[in-house]
Amino acid sequence: MPFIKNIETKMKMALWIAITSMVTAIIIVIIALSYTTKMITSERKHIYVLDKNIPLVAVNADMDNYKKVEYKTAVETFHQFFFTLPPDDKFIESQMQKAMYLVDASGVAQYNTLKEKGYFTNLIATNSVSTLVADSVLIDMNSGHFIYYGKQKIQRPSMITIRSLITEGYLIDQPVKTDSNPYGVLITNWKIIENKDLQNETQKLF
């Protein structure tokens, strides 16, 4: 009997060792699969860009950060086209054409509104130069909503006016990038929230 009990004890011990080993192996496999999945997901968020066409040298960039920079650049470029204008009707028309490639019909509506108010005609008639400097661009990557904050400077022969500019809109990725829209991003539902004078400085005429 003691001999049989000893055999049973050893068999139970062997069974527990086998079960424990199996459970441990399963846990190790799950951890390994989880880590591998995480690594693959992380790698898919990166792009590799050849540096100066040299295939041995690559720059690794995070896709999320890259996309946010691309969005910001698209927004800033559009506003530069739209608000940085000299008193030259042909140049203004050229700038507006470039801007319209980056925005939907809402941009055309804003352009027509300013045109009806005589904004562009006034720039030419008063020999004024409009320039724009971006303060910041806030972008919600989940919704694509952005808010642009900038300072507009309108320089006339007799006066310099500084205006605050705040606009908002949404960003939509386009399936194809073109020479006219190298960012592959379209601004939609764009509108001017604020564009008011902050200060006026009289210039001396000699």
Side-chain angles (χ1 to χ4, degrees), residues 63-149:
M63 280 295 289
D64 291 338
N65 292 335
Y66 175 79
K67 179 57 67 176
K68 190 168 185 177
V69 170
E70 194 169 50
Y71 279 173
K72 182 179 179 182
T73 304
V75 171
E76 290 181 345
T77 300
F78 166 74
H79 284 80
Q80 283 294 320
F81 285 151
F82 203 95
F83 291 99
T84 298
L85 305 169
D88 184 320
D89 57 344
K90 291 184 179 180
F91 189 87
I92 290 174
E93 183 179 350
S94 175
Q95 288 290 87
M96 291 302 111
Q97 288 178 352
K98 293 175 183 177
M100 293 308 116
Y101 282 112
L102 304 177
V103 70
D104 68 355
S106 60
V108 178
Q110 292 289 338
Y111 168 69
N112 288 333
T113 298
L114 291 175
K115 190 174 182 180
E116 289 172 3
K117 290 181 178 179
Y119 172 74
F120 303 106
T121 302
N122 185 60
L123 285 178
I124 298 170
T126 58
N127 198 32
S128 303
V129 177
S130 171
T131 56
L132 183 67
V133 177
D135 288 335
S136 62
V137 180
L138 303 181
I139 301 174
D140 184 338
M141 295 301 291
N142 294 321
S143 64
H145 178 259
F146 74 85
I147 301 178
Y148 175 95
Y149 297 90

XYZ file of all heavy atoms in Angstrom, residues 63-149:
706
model
N 4.038 58.820 -37.860
C 3.004 59.221 -38.804
C 2.050 60.249 -38.214
O 1.626 61.184 -38.892
C 2.222 57.980 -39.256
C 2.920 57.178 -40.336
S 3.073 58.105 -41.879
C 1.371 58.134 -42.420
N 1.678 60.090 -36.940
C 0.747 61.028 -36.319
C 1.347 62.429 -36.261
O 0.688 63.420 -36.594
C 0.380 60.559 -34.906
C -0.473 59.301 -34.931
O -1.105 59.054 -35.978
O -0.499 58.579 -33.920
N 2.611 62.504 -35.831
C 3.276 63.804 -35.771
C 3.453 64.390 -37.170
O 3.293 65.590 -37.388
C 4.632 63.680 -35.083
C 4.505 63.358 -33.610
O 3.483 63.666 -32.990
N 5.508 62.731 -33.037
N 3.792 63.526 -38.115
C 3.981 63.968 -39.498
C 2.688 64.540 -40.061
O 2.680 65.603 -40.695
C 4.449 62.784 -40.348
C 4.568 63.086 -41.818
C 5.674 63.765 -42.327
C 3.577 62.689 -42.711
C 5.777 64.045 -43.683
C 3.670 62.966 -44.064
C 4.772 63.640 -44.539
O 4.875 63.923 -45.877
N 1.576 63.852 -39.808
C 0.284 64.307 -40.321
C -0.124 65.636 -39.702
O -0.655 66.514 -40.373
C -0.775 63.241 -40.053
C -2.172 63.614 -40.512
C -2.223 63.955 -42.003
C -1.951 62.754 -42.862
N -2.092 63.072 -44.299
N 0.155 65.804 -38.411
C -0.205 67.059 -37.742
C 0.597 68.221 -38.316
O 0.063 69.315 -38.525
C 0.041 66.943 -36.239
C -0.538 68.107 -35.440
C -0.531 67.835 -33.959
C -1.235 68.950 -33.192
N -1.310 68.684 -31.748
N 1.871 67.989 -38.586
C 2.715 69.027 -39.194
C 2.209 69.358 -40.591
O 2.157 70.527 -41.002
C 4.187 68.567 -39.251
C 5.022 69.525 -40.097
C 4.772 68.476 -37.851
N 1.789 68.323 -41.327
C 1.277 68.528 -42.680
C -0.023 69.336 -42.645
O -0.225 70.247 -43.463
C 1.033 67.169 -43.350
C 0.837 67.250 -44.849
C 0.858 65.893 -45.485
O 0.135 64.995 -45.000
O 1.600 65.698 -46.474
N -0.900 69.015 -41.708
C -2.140 69.776 -41.543
C -1.838 71.243 -41.246
O -2.425 72.150 -41.848
C -2.961 69.200 -40.388
C -3.780 67.973 -40.728
C -4.449 67.279 -39.732
C -3.884 67.513 -42.034
C -5.221 66.155 -40.033
C -4.638 66.395 -42.341
C -5.311 65.716 -41.331
O -6.062 64.616 -41.630
N -0.942 71.462 -40.284
C -0.610 72.823 -39.873
C -0.030 73.616 -41.046
O -0.388 74.779 -41.265
C 0.382 72.804 -38.717
C 0.744 74.187 -38.194
C 1.726 74.114 -37.033
C 2.112 75.494 -36.535
N 3.112 75.437 -35.438
N 0.850 72.990 -41.808
C 1.462 73.663 -42.955
C 0.419 74.013 -44.005
O 0.457 75.100 -44.597
C 2.553 72.767 -43.579
O 3.521 72.425 -42.584
C 3.256 73.483 -44.717
N -0.528 73.107 -44.232
C -1.591 73.358 -45.212
C -2.435 74.556 -44.795
O -2.752 75.425 -45.617
C -2.461 72.117 -45.363
N -2.787 74.619 -43.510
C -3.604 75.726 -43.003
C -2.847 77.048 -43.114
O -3.396 78.058 -43.580
C -4.017 75.465 -41.532
C -4.677 76.715 -40.939
C -4.955 74.282 -41.441
N -1.579 77.051 -42.700
C -0.786 78.276 -42.752
C -0.562 78.743 -44.199
O -0.620 79.941 -44.487
C 0.553 78.071 -42.048
C 0.430 77.939 -40.531
C 1.774 77.767 -39.852
O 2.767 77.459 -40.551
O 1.831 77.938 -38.616
N -0.318 77.791 -45.096
C -0.090 78.139 -46.501
C -1.341 78.761 -47.109
O -1.266 79.779 -47.819
C 0.311 76.892 -47.309
O 1.514 76.338 -46.768
C 0.537 77.240 -48.778
N -2.488 78.173 -46.831
C -3.747 78.723 -47.354
C -3.953 80.160 -46.886
O -4.299 81.045 -47.674
C -4.922 77.858 -46.894
C -6.248 78.523 -47.094
C -6.802 78.637 -48.359
C -6.936 79.068 -46.015
C -8.029 79.274 -48.549
C -8.154 79.703 -46.186
C -8.704 79.806 -47.456
N -3.729 80.402 -45.602
C -3.937 81.752 -45.068
C -2.922 82.753 -45.632
O -3.250 83.928 -45.832
C -3.871 81.729 -43.536
C -5.104 81.166 -42.896
N -5.322 79.810 -42.801
C -6.188 81.774 -42.340
C -6.497 79.609 -42.211
N -7.041 80.776 -41.916
N -1.716 82.281 -45.889
C -0.721 83.151 -46.516
C -1.173 83.554 -47.921
O -1.074 84.721 -48.309
C 0.633 82.449 -46.586
C 1.395 82.409 -45.277
C 1.816 83.796 -44.821
O 2.221 84.646 -45.608
N 1.710 84.036 -43.518
N -1.670 82.587 -48.685
C -2.171 82.895 -50.030
C -3.327 83.888 -49.976
O -3.416 84.807 -50.784
C -2.653 81.611 -50.725
C -1.547 80.719 -51.215
C -1.730 79.345 -51.294
C -0.331 81.245 -51.626
C -0.721 78.513 -51.759
C 0.687 80.420 -52.094
C 0.491 79.047 -52.162
N -4.210 83.700 -49.004
C -5.447 84.464 -48.949
C -5.254 85.881 -48.410
O -5.952 86.806 -48.838
C -6.476 83.728 -48.082
C -7.904 84.106 -48.369
C -8.664 83.357 -49.246
C -8.478 85.205 -47.761
C -9.989 83.706 -49.519
C -9.790 85.559 -48.021
C -10.557 84.810 -48.908
N -4.298 86.054 -47.481
C -4.200 87.347 -46.801
C -2.890 88.114 -47.030
O -2.781 89.251 -46.604
C -4.409 87.167 -45.296
C -5.814 86.788 -44.922
C -6.137 85.467 -44.660
C -6.813 87.742 -44.850
C -7.440 85.105 -44.315
C -8.109 87.395 -44.507
C -8.423 86.060 -44.244
N -1.901 87.504 -47.653
C -0.665 88.234 -47.957
C -0.748 88.732 -49.393
O -0.530 87.969 -50.340
C 0.570 87.339 -47.748
O 0.640 86.951 -46.382
C 1.849 88.077 -48.124
N -1.078 90.008 -49.534
C -1.408 90.543 -50.849
C -0.810 91.935 -51.055
O -0.891 92.782 -50.172
C -2.936 90.647 -51.006
C -3.740 89.356 -50.772
C -5.216 89.686 -50.687
C -3.460 88.343 -51.865
N -0.230 92.180 -52.233
C 0.251 93.522 -52.586
C -0.843 94.242 -53.387
O -1.848 93.631 -53.768
C 1.457 93.215 -53.465
C 1.038 91.962 -54.177
C 0.181 91.190 -53.225
N -0.666 95.527 -53.654
C -1.662 96.265 -54.456
C -1.500 95.966 -55.948
O -1.194 96.850 -56.762
C -1.351 97.728 -54.135
C 0.112 97.735 -53.831
C 0.391 96.424 -53.151
N -1.697 94.705 -56.307
C -1.511 94.262 -57.692
C -2.641 93.287 -58.022
O -2.689 92.177 -57.469
C -0.142 93.581 -57.829
C 0.164 93.179 -59.265
O -0.746 92.701 -59.955
O 1.335 93.294 -59.673
N -3.548 93.688 -58.898
C -4.729 92.868 -59.170
C -4.391 91.493 -59.746
O -5.021 90.494 -59.402
C -5.696 93.620 -60.092
C -5.046 94.034 -61.410
O -3.803 94.026 -61.492
O -5.788 94.380 -62.348
N -3.373 91.425 -60.614
C -3.002 90.142 -61.205
C -2.389 89.207 -60.159
O -2.650 88.004 -60.156
C -2.028 90.355 -62.368
C -2.664 91.018 -63.579
C -1.682 91.119 -64.734
C -2.354 91.759 -65.957
N -1.407 91.881 -67.112
N -1.572 89.791 -59.271
C -0.960 88.976 -58.221
C -2.033 88.496 -57.245
O -1.998 87.351 -56.787
C 0.111 89.771 -57.470
C 0.915 88.935 -56.519
C 2.045 88.249 -56.956
C 0.542 88.814 -55.189
C 2.786 87.472 -56.084
C 1.282 88.044 -54.306
C 2.405 87.369 -54.756
N -2.980 89.374 -56.919
C -4.077 88.991 -56.020
C -4.879 87.842 -56.627
O -5.214 86.868 -55.944
C -5.002 90.195 -55.741
C -4.268 91.225 -54.874
C -6.285 89.741 -55.057
C -5.049 92.510 -54.660
N -5.166 87.939 -57.906
C -5.915 86.874 -58.590
C -5.136 85.564 -58.558
O -5.703 84.487 -58.330
C -6.196 87.286 -60.045
C -7.037 86.275 -60.809
C -7.334 86.710 -62.234
O -7.047 87.890 -62.564
O -7.842 85.895 -63.007
N -3.814 85.656 -58.770
C -2.964 84.469 -58.733
C -2.959 83.832 -57.342
O -3.048 82.609 -57.203
C -1.530 84.837 -59.140
O -0.663 83.725 -58.997
N -2.870 84.665 -56.304
C -2.884 84.161 -54.929
C -4.213 83.484 -54.603
O -4.244 82.430 -53.953
C -2.642 85.314 -53.945
C -1.226 85.857 -53.938
C -0.227 84.897 -53.330
O 0.306 84.036 -54.015
N 0.016 85.051 -52.038
N -5.301 84.072 -55.059
C -6.622 83.502 -54.793
C -6.790 82.161 -55.493
O -7.369 81.216 -54.939
C -7.728 84.464 -55.243
C -7.847 85.726 -54.399
S -8.159 85.389 -52.645
C -6.603 85.917 -51.927
N -6.265 82.049 -56.694
C -6.342 80.780 -57.415
C -5.585 79.681 -56.670
O -6.069 78.547 -56.543
C -5.780 80.941 -58.830
C -6.680 81.737 -59.763
C -6.079 81.914 -61.146
O -4.908 81.576 -61.386
N -6.865 82.446 -62.069
N -4.404 80.026 -56.149
C -3.627 79.053 -55.377
C -4.367 78.649 -54.104
O -4.384 77.480 -53.722
C -2.259 79.637 -55.018
C -1.337 79.869 -56.197
C -0.050 80.555 -55.751
C 0.858 80.876 -56.916
N 2.080 81.597 -56.491
N -4.974 79.651 -53.457
C -5.701 79.385 -52.204
C -6.899 78.475 -52.445
O -7.193 77.595 -51.629
C -6.151 80.703 -51.573
N -7.593 78.666 -53.567
C -8.814 77.903 -53.831
C -8.553 76.414 -54.053
O -9.454 75.598 -53.917
C -9.562 78.489 -55.034
C -10.135 79.876 -54.786
S -11.149 79.993 -53.297
C -10.181 81.144 -52.317
N -7.319 76.052 -54.398
C -6.978 74.632 -54.527
C -6.937 73.938 -53.159
O -6.989 72.707 -53.080
C -5.619 74.461 -55.214
C -5.653 74.640 -56.713
C -5.035 75.734 -57.325
C -6.304 73.718 -57.539
C -5.054 75.907 -58.697
C -6.330 73.880 -58.911
C -5.704 74.973 -59.486
O -5.731 75.139 -60.852
N -6.834 74.715 -52.091
C -6.678 74.155 -50.756
C -7.965 74.200 -49.929
O -7.974 73.737 -48.787
C -5.571 74.909 -49.997
C -4.196 74.958 -50.674
C -3.231 75.796 -49.832
C -3.642 73.552 -50.868
N -9.038 74.754 -50.506
C -10.268 74.950 -49.735
C -11.479 74.583 -50.594
O -11.407 74.597 -51.831
C -10.357 76.426 -49.256
C -10.604 77.355 -50.422
C -11.388 76.605 -48.156
N -12.584 74.271 -49.927
C -13.805 73.958 -50.662
C -14.589 75.235 -50.982
O -14.042 76.343 -50.920
C -14.660 72.943 -49.877
C -15.238 73.535 -48.593
O -14.908 74.683 -48.245
O -16.029 72.831 -47.935
N -15.866 75.105 -51.269
C -16.688 76.252 -51.679
C -16.799 77.326 -50.603
O -17.091 78.487 -50.911
C -18.084 75.763 -52.067
N -16.540 76.957 -49.351
C -16.601 77.948 -48.278
C -15.542 79.028 -48.467
O -15.754 80.193 -48.110
C -16.422 77.283 -46.905
O -15.164 76.625 -46.816
N -14.405 78.676 -49.043
C -13.356 79.654 -49.330
C -13.785 80.614 -50.429
O -13.519 81.820 -50.356
N -14.457 80.072 -51.427
C -14.972 80.909 -52.518
C -16.001 81.898 -51.976
O -16.025 83.076 -52.365
C -15.610 80.031 -53.614
C -16.185 80.905 -54.726
C -14.581 79.055 -54.185
N -16.833 81.424 -51.041
C -17.859 82.294 -50.454
C -17.227 83.448 -49.682
O -17.671 84.608 -49.795
C -18.754 81.474 -49.528
N -16.167 83.149 -48.910
C -15.471 84.207 -48.161
C -14.803 85.196 -49.119
O -14.822 86.415 -48.884
C -14.431 83.592 -47.224
C -15.003 82.795 -46.072
C -15.672 83.678 -45.033
O -15.401 84.874 -44.929
N -16.564 83.095 -44.254
N -14.222 84.679 -50.179
C -13.581 85.539 -51.183
C -14.598 86.478 -51.824
O -14.356 87.688 -51.960
C -12.902 84.680 -52.252
C -12.463 85.445 -53.475
C -11.413 86.353 -53.415
C -13.120 85.263 -54.695
C -11.018 87.066 -54.544
C -12.731 85.966 -55.821
C -11.682 86.869 -55.746
O -11.292 87.565 -56.858
N -15.752 85.925 -52.209
C -16.791 86.746 -52.841
C -17.329 87.806 -51.878
O -17.624 88.934 -52.292
C -17.938 85.860 -53.329
C -17.545 85.037 -54.549
O -16.668 85.436 -55.320
N -18.172 83.885 -54.714
N -17.437 87.451 -50.605
C -17.912 88.414 -49.604
C -16.949 89.592 -49.495
O -17.363 90.763 -49.492
C -18.063 87.744 -48.223
O -19.047 86.704 -48.310
C -18.493 88.752 -47.168
N -15.637 89.296 -49.395
C -14.633 90.362 -49.304
C -14.593 91.192 -50.585
O -14.414 92.416 -50.545
C -13.255 89.761 -49.020
C -13.053 89.142 -47.634
C -11.690 88.475 -47.549
C -13.190 90.195 -46.546
N -14.782 90.508 -51.704
C -14.760 91.209 -52.993
C -15.936 92.173 -53.104
O -15.783 93.321 -53.565
C -14.809 90.184 -54.135
C -14.557 90.776 -55.511
C -14.477 89.675 -56.559
C -14.185 90.254 -57.933
N -14.111 89.173 -58.967
N -17.127 91.726 -52.658
C -18.311 92.573 -52.698
C -18.171 93.785 -51.776
O -18.706 94.863 -52.060
C -19.545 91.757 -52.302
C -19.966 90.743 -53.358
C -21.067 89.825 -52.867
O -21.540 90.033 -51.720
O -21.442 88.903 -53.615
N -17.430 93.612 -50.695
C -17.222 94.715 -49.753
C -16.126 95.668 -50.238
O -15.844 96.683 -49.583
C -16.847 94.170 -48.376
C -17.994 93.462 -47.665
C -17.568 92.955 -46.293
C -18.717 92.298 -45.550
N -18.297 91.792 -44.215
N -15.497 95.317 -51.352
C -14.472 96.186 -51.919
C -13.108 96.064 -51.260
O -12.266 96.966 -51.389
N -12.871 94.934 -50.554
C -11.611 94.777 -49.819
C -10.406 94.784 -50.763
O -9.426 95.507 -50.535
C -11.654 93.472 -49.019
C -10.353 93.095 -48.369
C -9.881 93.776 -47.247
C -9.566 92.061 -48.883
C -8.673 93.439 -46.650
C -8.369 91.714 -48.295
C -7.922 92.401 -47.184
O -6.728 92.056 -46.605
N -10.476 94.012 -51.827
C -9.336 93.901 -52.743
C -9.165 95.175 -53.561
O -8.039 95.613 -53.813
C -9.521 92.676 -53.654
C -9.692 91.392 -52.906
C -10.931 90.787 -52.817
C -8.615 90.795 -52.264
C -11.092 89.608 -52.117
C -8.767 89.616 -51.560
C -10.017 89.014 -51.480
N -10.282 95.756 -53.972
C -10.227 97.013 -54.722
C -9.603 98.115 -53.871
O -8.822 98.945 -54.364
C -11.647 97.439 -55.154
O -12.223 96.405 -55.943
C -11.595 98.725 -55.968
N -9.933 98.126 -52.593
C -9.403 99.141 -51.676
C -7.893 98.996 -51.496
O -7.169 99.998 -51.383
C -10.105 99.032 -50.322
C -9.684 100.137 -49.370
O -9.870 101.310 -49.649
N -9.099 99.756 -48.242
N -7.407 97.743 -51.455
C -5.957 97.520 -51.347
C -5.223 98.168 -52.518
O -4.179 98.813 -52.342
C -5.649 96.018 -51.310
C -5.934 95.241 -50.025
C -5.599 93.771 -50.222
C -5.137 95.812 -48.851
N -5.782 97.974 -53.704
C -5.148 98.513 -54.906
C -5.275 100.034 -54.950
O -4.307 100.750 -55.234
C -5.778 97.883 -56.166
C -5.536 96.366 -56.159
C -5.207 98.509 -57.425
C -6.309 95.623 -57.230
N -6.470 100.538 -54.637
C -6.729 101.978 -54.728
C -5.900 102.777 -53.728
O -5.469 103.900 -54.023
C -8.221 102.249 -54.499
N -5.661 102.211 -52.555
C -4.906 102.931 -51.515
C -3.428 102.526 -51.491
O -2.691 102.936 -50.598
C -5.519 102.655 -50.125
O -5.508 101.240 -49.872
C -6.943 103.175 -50.055
N -3.040 101.704 -52.473
C -1.644 101.251 -52.559
C -1.192 100.585 -51.247
O -0.116 100.868 -50.708
C -0.720 102.421 -52.900
C 0.638 101.955 -53.416
O 0.735 100.911 -54.063
N 1.692 102.702 -53.107
N -2.032 99.689 -50.724
C -1.779 99.036 -49.444
C -1.209 97.639 -49.638
O -1.505 96.950 -50.621
C -3.081 98.939 -48.635
O -3.645 100.219 -48.437
N -0.404 97.226 -48.670
C 0.182 95.881 -48.673
C -0.319 95.130 -47.437
O -0.179 95.606 -46.316
C 1.723 95.935 -48.654
C 2.293 94.522 -48.589
C 2.244 96.675 -49.878
N -0.906 93.976 -47.669
C -1.403 93.149 -46.565
C -0.465 91.965 -46.361
O -0.154 91.236 -47.307
C -2.820 92.645 -46.873
O -3.218 91.696 -45.908
N -0.006 91.782 -45.138
C 0.825 90.621 -44.792
C 0.220 89.929 -43.574
O -0.513 90.532 -42.800
C 2.279 91.034 -44.485
O 2.272 92.019 -43.443
C 2.964 91.591 -45.711
N 0.545 88.667 -43.421
C -0.040 87.880 -42.333
C 1.034 87.055 -41.643
O 1.881 86.444 -42.296
C -1.127 86.949 -42.883
C -1.884 86.105 -41.864
C -2.737 86.991 -40.955
C -2.767 85.078 -42.574
N 0.990 87.054 -40.312
C 1.904 86.241 -39.510
C 1.064 85.335 -38.608
O 0.176 85.815 -37.899
C 2.839 87.108 -38.643
C 3.721 86.228 -37.768
C 3.702 88.000 -39.531
N 1.336 84.040 -38.642
C 0.572 83.092 -37.818
C 1.048 83.143 -36.368
O 2.246 83.161 -36.100
C 0.731 81.684 -38.368
N 0.097 83.198 -35.452
C 0.425 83.078 -34.029
C 0.405 81.613 -33.606
O 1.335 81.118 -32.997
C -0.576 83.888 -33.186
C -0.360 85.384 -33.326
O 0.770 85.789 -33.648
O -1.318 86.140 -33.132
N -0.681 80.938 -33.940
C -0.791 79.513 -33.616
C -1.914 78.882 -34.428
O -2.814 79.569 -34.915
C -1.054 79.317 -32.119
O -2.291 79.907 -31.747
N -1.831 77.565 -34.556
C -2.880 76.789 -35.224
C -3.217 75.615 -34.312
O -2.367 74.766 -34.043
C -2.428 76.260 -36.601
C -3.563 75.470 -37.257
C -1.980 77.402 -37.498
N -4.452 75.571 -33.827
C -4.897 74.484 -32.962
C -5.658 73.473 -33.806
O -6.604 73.834 -34.514
C -5.791 75.019 -31.840
C -5.184 76.105 -30.937
C -6.177 76.506 -29.855
C -3.877 75.625 -30.315
N -5.243 72.211 -33.734
C -5.860 71.170 -34.558
C -6.295 70.001 -33.688
O -5.516 69.482 -32.888
C -4.876 70.669 -35.639
C -4.441 71.826 -36.541
C -5.523 69.571 -36.475
C -3.360 71.450 -37.543
N -7.548 69.593 -33.853
C -8.059 68.387 -33.204
C -7.915 67.253 -34.213
O -8.652 67.187 -35.199
C -9.525 68.577 -32.815
C -10.091 67.387 -32.048
O -9.531 66.281 -32.167
O -11.089 67.553 -31.324
N -6.965 66.355 -33.973
C -6.674 65.292 -34.928
C -7.825 64.294 -35.054
O -7.917 63.575 -36.056
C -5.389 64.572 -34.532
C -4.139 65.440 -34.597
S -3.839 66.109 -36.257
C -3.403 64.609 -37.141
N -8.676 64.208 -34.062
C -9.795 63.264 -34.116
C -10.911 63.760 -35.033
O -11.442 63.004 -35.853
C -10.353 63.020 -32.707
C -9.365 62.302 -31.814
O -8.657 61.400 -32.252
N -9.297 62.698 -30.555
N -11.265 65.037 -34.893
C -12.364 65.585 -35.694
C -11.889 66.310 -36.949
O -12.657 66.529 -37.878
C -13.195 66.554 -34.846
O -12.413 67.680 -34.462
N -10.606 66.711 -36.966
C -10.082 67.475 -38.096
C -10.364 68.960 -37.987
O -10.024 69.732 -38.879
N -10.972 69.381 -36.883
C -11.305 70.796 -36.688
C -10.056 71.600 -36.343
O -9.192 71.131 -35.600
C -12.335 70.939 -35.566
C -12.699 72.359 -35.260
N -12.187 73.052 -34.185
C -13.532 73.235 -35.899
C -12.677 74.268 -34.163
N -13.497 74.419 -35.190
N -9.943 72.801 -36.910
C -8.795 73.654 -36.594
C -9.261 75.083 -36.308
O -10.313 75.519 -36.776
C -7.777 73.667 -37.738
C -8.202 74.466 -38.941
C -7.978 75.842 -39.008
C -8.826 73.849 -40.016
C -8.373 76.585 -40.109
C -9.234 74.583 -41.122
C -9.000 75.956 -41.164
N -8.458 75.793 -35.528
C -8.647 77.226 -35.299
C -7.314 77.913 -35.580
O -6.281 77.504 -35.042
C -9.102 77.539 -33.861
C -10.419 76.822 -33.546
C -9.280 79.045 -33.666
C -10.908 77.057 -32.125
N -7.352 78.918 -36.434
C -6.144 79.649 -36.820
C -6.141 81.008 -36.135
O -7.133 81.741 -36.175
C -6.105 79.827 -38.345
C -4.952 80.671 -38.842
C -3.775 80.082 -39.273
C -5.054 82.063 -38.887
C -2.717 80.854 -39.741
C -4.002 82.839 -39.346
C -2.831 82.234 -39.768
O -1.785 83.007 -40.212
N -5.002 81.350 -35.504
C -4.823 82.659 -34.870
C -3.653 83.363 -35.549
O -2.554 82.788 -35.669
C -4.505 82.521 -33.381
C -5.602 81.874 -32.557
C -5.645 80.499 -32.371
C -6.593 82.659 -31.968
C -6.649 79.900 -31.616
C -7.604 82.072 -31.206
C -7.619 80.688 -31.040
O -8.615 80.105 -30.288
